[in-house]
Amino acid sequence: FNLPILPNSTRQIEVWSGETKIDGTRFIDAPVRIEAGTVIRMAPRAKVIFRNTIEIAGTIQKPVIITPAQDGKPFGFIALQGQGTAGSSIQNLHMTGGTGGRVENIQYTAMLNIHNTRDIELSNLKLSDNKIYDDMLHIVYCDDVRIDGIDLRNAHSDAADIDISTGVRFLGGTIKGSGNDGIDLMSSVVTIEGMVLSENKDKGVSVGEATEVVIRKSRIENNKIGIETKDGSRAQVLNTSFNRNTTQLYANMKNWRYGSGGRIEVRDSVLTDDNNIIKVDKKSTIRVTGSQM
């Protein structure tokens, strides 16, 4: 059944602290703990791929910092790859100036990538100013990912891209100034609560390809489109404010293979704009109840 016949060996935990520099591509197969206050300087196009559990134990006073070693020259990316990373925790991490890349025929489209794993906790992350590649944070083929208090600023394209994942929860934080979407969802089950999504050049939240999302107690403001759903997707929105998005809500069908357009259900919310533009095509539905316009 394509399983190893040798027993798993117990690997000793690596502890990273102080200041270190990463060159080239490094695969880390041992469990890792990164202590508070650690500074990791990444050489141009340097990449780190963790394949075992990782604990980044930054604090508010002493975050872990990942930054380019040379000003103006982006590093590659950081990735958690595979089921060996299940149960990992990343707390109080500040990362800037990365991009993406391809390693062993796997395309990593983000500065921070989480692939094919489960039970991951991300808390108080500050990510900013990624370069070249599409995403700042990319989560794919994952289950049970908790994202608490994230701060994403000035993404090159999409700030957070969630693909083919379930149990992904955004719990508080800010996503601002993305070159494309604040949160981009595909074929996933996601909760967004207590978020501020503002000044993104396309959608605050893009909901596509048979995604189910619940959005609660959030502010979606000054985006080109507040929420867009398409292609068999549904967004349930409660106690949320839409402030001066060029188009507040948009539901449509782009891909005929999904058989229907998008659905948006808004309850107990507030929509504020001079025009309050809402767009829906013949294959889609938008329903607004118990709300103020």
Side-chain angles (χ1 to χ4, degrees), residues 203 205-209 211 213 215 225-237 249-254 261-265 279-281 284-286:
K203 279 86 70 178
V205 185
S206 177
V207 188
E209 292 86 12
T211 287
V213 63
I215 302 171
I225 300 172
I227 297 175
E228 179 180 346
T229 63
K230 53 186 179 291
D231 302 336
S233 297
R234 180 173 68 156
Q236 299 181 71
V237 185
L249 306 170
Y250 184 25
N252 66 103
M253 183 170 75
K254 289 187 176 179
R263 289 181 292 163
I264 303 177
E265 302 165 9
K279 296 181 180 180
V280 58
D281 71 9
S284 306
T285 60
I286 294 178

Side-chain angles (χ1 to χ4, degrees), residues 161-274:
D161 195 340
I162 315 299
D163 294 329
I164 316 172
S165 297
T166 61
V168 178
R169 293 171 291 163
F170 289 87
L171 302 173
T174 299
I175 297 177
K176 183 176 181 178
S178 305
N180 197 49
D181 300 331
I183 300 176
D184 186 8
L185 308 176
M186 183 187 82
S187 302
S188 296
V189 180
V190 177
T191 301
I192 298 169
E193 185 168 344
M195 293 290 296
V196 178
L197 304 162
S198 69
E199 298 177 32
N200 301 292
K201 289 184 172 58
D202 201 357
K203 279 86 70 178
V205 185
S206 177
V207 188
E209 292 86 12
T211 287
E212 293 279 341
V213 63
V214 175
I215 302 171
R216 301 189 190 98
K217 299 178 181 178
S218 295
R219 293 204 332 257
I220 302 174
E221 55 194 20
N222 297 310
N223 306 282
K224 182 178 179 182
I225 300 172
I227 297 175
E228 179 180 346
T229 63
K230 53 186 179 291
D231 302 336
S233 297
R234 180 173 68 156
Q236 299 181 71
V237 185
L238 304 98
N239 300 112
T240 290
S241 62
F242 296 83
N243 300 320
R244 303 194 181 283
N245 303 287
T246 305
T247 297
Q248 302 277 41
L249 306 170
Y250 184 25
N252 66 103
M253 183 170 75
K254 289 187 176 179
N255 191 331
W256 63 267
R257 292 174 180 84
Y258 288 91
S260 64
R263 289 181 292 163
I264 303 177
E265 302 165 9
V266 178
R267 299 203 313 268
D268 304 324
S269 297
V270 178
L271 293 83
T272 303
D273 191 66
D274 293 339

Side-chain angles (χ1 to χ4, degrees), residues 46-89:
K47 311 166 186 70
V48 180
I49 301 168
F50 295 98
R51 300 193 290 200
N52 207 320
T53 54
I54 176 172
E55 180 187 5
I56 295 181
T59 65
I60 293 175
Q61 294 77 19
K62 294 182 177 181
V64 172
I65 297 173
I66 300 177
T67 188
Q70 298 181 35
D71 290 343
K73 294 187 177 181
F75 64 89
F77 60 83
I78 303 294
L80 279 64
Q81 179 67 52
Q83 292 294 319
T85 63
S88 293
S89 171

Side-chain angles (χ1 to χ4, degrees), residues 147-160:
I147 306 167
D148 192 351
I150 199 165
D151 189 342
L152 306 182
R153 305 280 176 141
N154 303 321
H156 178 256
S157 185
D158 295 337

